[in-house]
Amino acid sequence: MDMLGFLVAIVGLAVLFLAMGVRVVKQGYVYTIERLGKFTLAAEPGLHVIIPFIDRVGQKVNMMEQVLDIPGQEIITADNAMVGTDAVVFFQVLDAGKAAYEVSNLYNAIMALTTTNLRTVMGSMDLDETLSKRDEINARLLSVVDHATSPWGVKITRVEIKDIRPPMDISEAMARQMKAERLKRAEILEAEGDRASKILRAEGEKQSAILEAEGRKESAFRDAEAREREAEAEAKATQVVSDAIADSGSQALNYFVAQEYTKAVGKFATSPNAKTILFPVEATQLIGSLGGIGELVKDIAGDGPGGGTPPRSPQPPRSPSPAPRPQPRSATPSVPRSGGMGGQ
């Protein structure tokens, strides 16, 4: 029985010994293994067996990318303006051994390094530059901090300025300056628009005046041409009338006079203003004129000028006996035949 108990104790101790030597490393972490106090191995994620009482796990290093929040800082810029700022740092451990043994308290070291360099970078810039050149500040901080932390086995992936808070009086002055600048731009744009509008309007008026002048010029040219042709036609008609008068004598002249007289009387009859027109007219004068026309027609159609029977001169019409008062007549008086005039 004593031997059996002893064997059970030995087996139990062996199992305990093995259990103490088995280590499981989680994903995203690396364990540093120390043998008799000295770093010997960086255990990757998975199952590892160590020698109990000789080897032990030193530090559990997080190998994932991490975010470190930099608390707010009061910084004096190059133009002596006090501004408040804060930032964030993204970093990742690349070498677990260096991160565990090259620096004590890695997080505090990165925070202190970033804070001091933030003061250095922003302190060398004016207030306007710190407000407008955040990308430049981020790039300079990233370069400086990453170079300083590379011996620690750490890679600084990104540094971002979260906020920059100028003093209240400077903020109010900046707001007034921005408002004045906006008003200035608005007035400049309004003035430029007004100038462009006036220029376009003047160009339009100029073009309109040019076109109108060209139209008047063309119209005057057309009018002059029409008057010239009308004058030529009138001269030609006058020449024809003169030739007719020279060939036929007074008969042609009487014909033209009677024709115009008849047209004048016909216009009264076709007037739209009244259906009945009262005006004194000597019918015998019209009859005499028409008689002259008839004689002219006879001479032209029958004997012709220079024929056997010379043309008779028209008899002067006798005035009718006066009436007590003129009777209203129609606009177009009746015309007796030429034979009746000859009998009188």
Side-chain angles (χ1 to χ4, degrees), residues 22-241:
V22 174
R23 293 288 183 270
V24 177
V25 180
K26 297 186 298 182
Q27 183 66 39
Y29 287 84
V30 171
Y31 293 176
T32 60
I33 305 300
E34 299 176 356
R35 176 168 295 176
L36 299 177
K38 182 181 179 181
F39 170 70
T40 58
L41 177 66
E44 300 289 336
L47 180 64
H48 295 272
V49 178
I50 61 176
I51 301 174
F53 305 108
I54 297 176
D55 297 336
R56 71 181 187 89
V57 175
Q59 295 188 19
K60 300 177 180 181
V61 181
N62 189 345
M63 303 298 291
M64 296 178 287
E65 187 172 359
Q66 304 175 63
V67 180
L68 184 61
D69 192 5
I70 306 300
Q73 305 291 325
E74 295 293 333
I75 301 173
I76 300 177
T77 61
D79 52 354
N80 297 324
M82 183 73 70
V83 295
T85 183
D86 49 11
V88 289
V89 178
F90 295 83
F91 69 96
Q92 185 176 11
V93 176
L94 301 180
D95 191 332
K98 291 182 179 180
Y101 300 106
E102 294 292 335
V103 60
S104 176
N105 198 337
L106 178 64
Y107 297 100
N108 289 337
I110 295 176
M111 182 181 299
L113 186 62
T114 305
T115 301
T116 55
N117 283 278
L118 181 63
R119 292 177 179 273
T120 301
V121 172
M122 295 188 64
S124 63
M125 305 173 69
D126 295 336
L127 177 62
D128 292 339
E129 293 178 342
T130 59
L131 296 176
S132 60
K133 295 182 178 180
R134 290 195 179 192
D135 292 339
E136 182 179 345
I137 296 174
N138 295 335
R140 291 175 62 180
L141 281 175
L142 177 62
S143 176
V144 172
V145 177
D146 182 58
H147 180 72
T149 57
S150 74
W152 303 341
V154 176
K155 174 64 178 177
I156 305 298
T157 58
R158 196 173 187 86
V159 179
E160 292 289 341
I161 300 295
K162 290 199 301 183
D163 189 20
I164 298 177
R165 301 175 297 276
M168 186 61 65
D169 55 347
I170 296 179
S171 299
E172 293 176 355
M174 291 171 61
R176 291 194 301 270
Q177 179 183 2
M178 181 185 66
K179 182 178 180 180
E181 185 68 24
R182 299 287 182 181
L183 291 176
K184 175 185 175 182
R185 292 180 182 178
E187 292 178 357
I188 291 174
L189 291 177
E190 184 178 357
E192 290 179 352
D194 189 20
R195 183 184 67 175
S197 176
K198 289 180 179 179
I199 291 174
L200 292 177
R201 191 178 295 111
E203 289 290 339
E205 292 177 355
K206 174 185 175 182
Q207 190 68 20
S208 176
I210 292 174
L211 294 177
E212 184 178 357
E214 291 180 354
R216 289 197 303 270
K217 175 183 176 182
E218 184 68 19
S219 176
F221 177 76
R222 298 294 183 184
D223 291 341
E225 186 177 359
R227 287 195 301 271
E228 181 180 357
R229 293 186 178 182
E230 184 179 359
E232 291 178 356
E234 187 69 24
K236 187 175 181 181
T238 304
Q239 182 64 37
V240 172
V241 172

